[in-house]
Amino acid sequence: MNLNTSDFIICSVCQHQNPTSAPACEKCGTPLRSSTTVAVADDMALSPVEPSPFSPQPGVFTIYVPGFGQPLKLAIKEEILLGRYQDGLPPPDVDLNPFYGYLSGVSRRHAKIKVSGSEVTLQDLGSSNGTWVNESKLLPHQSQSLKSGDIIRLGQLLMFVYFQSVELSEQTLLMRDTRGGLNMGLTPNLFSDGLLNLLNSIQEIEACISVVQDQPSPSMQIKAVSFDKERALIQAKLVGAYNAIEFSRKEISKRREALSGKLQGIQVSPEETLPPQAMVDLSGLADIDQVVTELASIMLEQFGANNLEEEKKKAFFEKIEPLIKLILTSPFEIIIE
């Protein structure tokens, strides 16, 4: 291995003394950082560390390294790899190089946060310098339960982890093909012809909301898709798009019904819904773009992002309006129950 001191790194091949900042040996070109993990002391003289002032948030892991200002925020998923990035290898979910991970003895694949149901654990991955939870050392490949506010130590690198709820709620989205194409059931062609675009739009809307709220975007998961033959409805069970689904139900679908009723001379109150046969194609409506802009403004206000800088607000509208329009005019109508 390459020996590391406070002043230089000794190349393991030619024994040349290199500056600590050198990525490769100045004499023979042997990589100095990517091939090994620096050996550090097993114990650590802990000075009092103030807990992070950052509040836990649902659906988000907040990782705070003392002395580095803003924390890292990651959408909760089944596995989160902690380590160091190295060229030519898949990157970890959390790259600790910017936090002096190399000099602190962090391995390239050091530890993994795992989520199963409501349980969160930290597993050591056979790291060179060990993993601790609240200064209790894990055996190689051992897992330890985590709770919000715990202190994780990888080698000599300390961090706090915060989370509120790791279980993302599952929602059922009901949709109807207004063209009557579902009478014979859900086919691959029907799934790809519009339905997939609608689901992708919901995922993109959720991502846009997360961006303006300065939150990591959860990855929407389709848990199940089924067909209710009696009512000719598609049922999609989704996780990770709560805000977008609720907005689509409460705002976009209601506006769609009102526009459909208006075109047919039918007055629709907020408590009523149009019968299935009354649905019409809205894509050619003269003021459809105005309606889309109004819905985008409502979304911006509802999710607390109305004070965005003008440039960011403009970028938000450019991204969100085509998505809203697709849902508003899709042949697949989102049903409100």
Side-chain angles (χ1 to χ4, degrees):
M1 64 177 289
N2 300 307
L3 296 178
N4 179 273
T5 75
S6 59
D7 299 316
F8 55 83
I9 302 175
I10 300 176
C11 176
S12 60
V13 176
C14 68
Q15 307 304 310
H16 180 71
Q17 295 183 6
N18 297 274
T20 55
S21 60
C25 178
E26 296 175 328
K27 184 176 180 181
C28 70
T30 299
L32 299 175
R33 297 183 182 277
S34 60
S35 58
T36 69
T37 299
V38 171
V40 296
D42 195 51
D43 59 344
M44 184 174 185
L46 289 175
S47 57
V49 179
E50 289 295 325
S52 162
F54 305 105
S55 300
Q57 298 169 325
V60 174
F61 276 120
T62 300
I63 298 176
Y64 172 66
V65 181
F68 282 89
Q70 292 299 312
L72 298 170
K73 294 181 180 180
L74 301 96
I76 286 175
K77 58 181 184 177
E78 291 183 355
E79 293 187 349
I80 295 176
L81 177 63
L82 310 176
R84 290 187 296 108
Y85 174 74
Q86 176 187 333
D87 290 338
L89 293 178
D93 298 294
V94 180
D95 178 19
L96 295 169
N97 276 321
F99 303 93
Y100 302 113
Y102 174 75
L103 294 177
S104 299
V106 176
S107 297
R108 287 161 290 174
R109 292 175 51 85
H110 196 111
K112 183 184 294 183
I113 296 174
K114 302 175 73 173
V115 177
S116 177
S118 60
E119 185 181 13
V120 182
T121 59
L122 180 71
Q123 180 186 18
D124 178 81
L125 298 178
S127 61
S128 299
N129 291 301
T131 301
W132 286 257
V133 176
N134 299 324
E135 285 308 291
S136 176
K137 188 175 183 180
L138 278 60
L139 296 174
H141 304 288
Q142 179 190 357
S143 295
Q144 171 70 41
S145 294
L146 278 182
K147 63 182 184 298
S148 185
D150 278 348
I151 301 176
I152 295 174
R153 176 155 72 91
L154 308 181
Q156 294 280 319
L157 183 63
L158 280 176
M159 62 192 75
F160 291 88
V161 61
Y162 296 89
F163 52 90
Q164 187 180 104
S165 172
V166 298
E167 290 188 288
L168 298 175
S169 60
E170 183 178 275
Q171 294 167 284
T172 300
L173 193 65
L174 295 177
M175 294 160 286
R176 174 170 53 219
D177 186 352
T178 59
R179 303 164 299 184
L182 285 175
N183 293 333
M184 301 300 293
L186 180 61
T187 65
N189 286 340
L190 280 175
F191 189 83
S192 60
D193 181 20
L195 181 57
L196 197 57
N197 287 336
L198 186 145
L199 294 176
N200 281 332
S201 295
I202 288 174
Q203 178 177 251
E204 289 298 315
I205 287 175
E206 187 71 24
C208 289
I209 293 171
S210 298
V211 168
V212 297
Q213 291 186 328
D214 193 27
Q215 299 294 332
S217 176
S219 177
M220 189 182 84
Q221 302 172 35
I222 302 174
K223 292 296 186 180
V225 177
S226 60
F227 177 63
D228 184 336
K229 186 176 181 180
E230 183 177 339
R231 297 189 293 170
L233 295 180
I234 302 168
Q235 298 178 347
K237 294 187 181 296
L238 307 174
V239 169
Y242 178 84
N243 293 319
I245 291 172
E246 289 301 296
F247 187 84
S248 297
R249 284 173 174 162
K250 296 176 180 178
E251 301 294 342
I252 300 178
S253 290
K254 280 296 183 183
R255 188 65 65 94
R256 174 177 178 142
E257 288 182 348
L259 289 171
S260 297
K262 181 181 177 181
L263 283 177
Q264 299 172 89
I266 303 173
Q267 291 293 328
V268 183
S269 71
E271 293 78 23
E272 296 176 327
T273 58
L274 286 172
Q277 63 270 23
M279 291 301 167
V280 295
D281 181 14
L282 300 177
S283 58
L285 193 65
D287 58 349
I288 190 69
D289 289 336
Q290 179 183 340
V291 173
V292 168
T293 299
E294 290 173 0
L295 285 168
S297 298
I298 292 171
M299 180 183 290
L300 203 59
E301 183 176 355
Q302 279 191 9
F303 294 103
N306 212 26
N307 295 323
L308 282 178
E309 299 173 0
E310 285 303 316
E311 186 175 339
K312 291 184 178 180
K313 190 178 294 187
K314 180 181 178 182
F316 174 82
F317 276 93
E318 289 177 351
K319 178 70 174 178
I320 208 73
E321 286 184 349
L323 302 173
I324 292 176
K325 186 173 183 178
L326 189 148
I327 296 175
L328 191 64
T329 61
S330 171
F332 291 93
E333 170 205 4
I334 294 174
I335 303 299
I336 308 168
E337 285 198 330

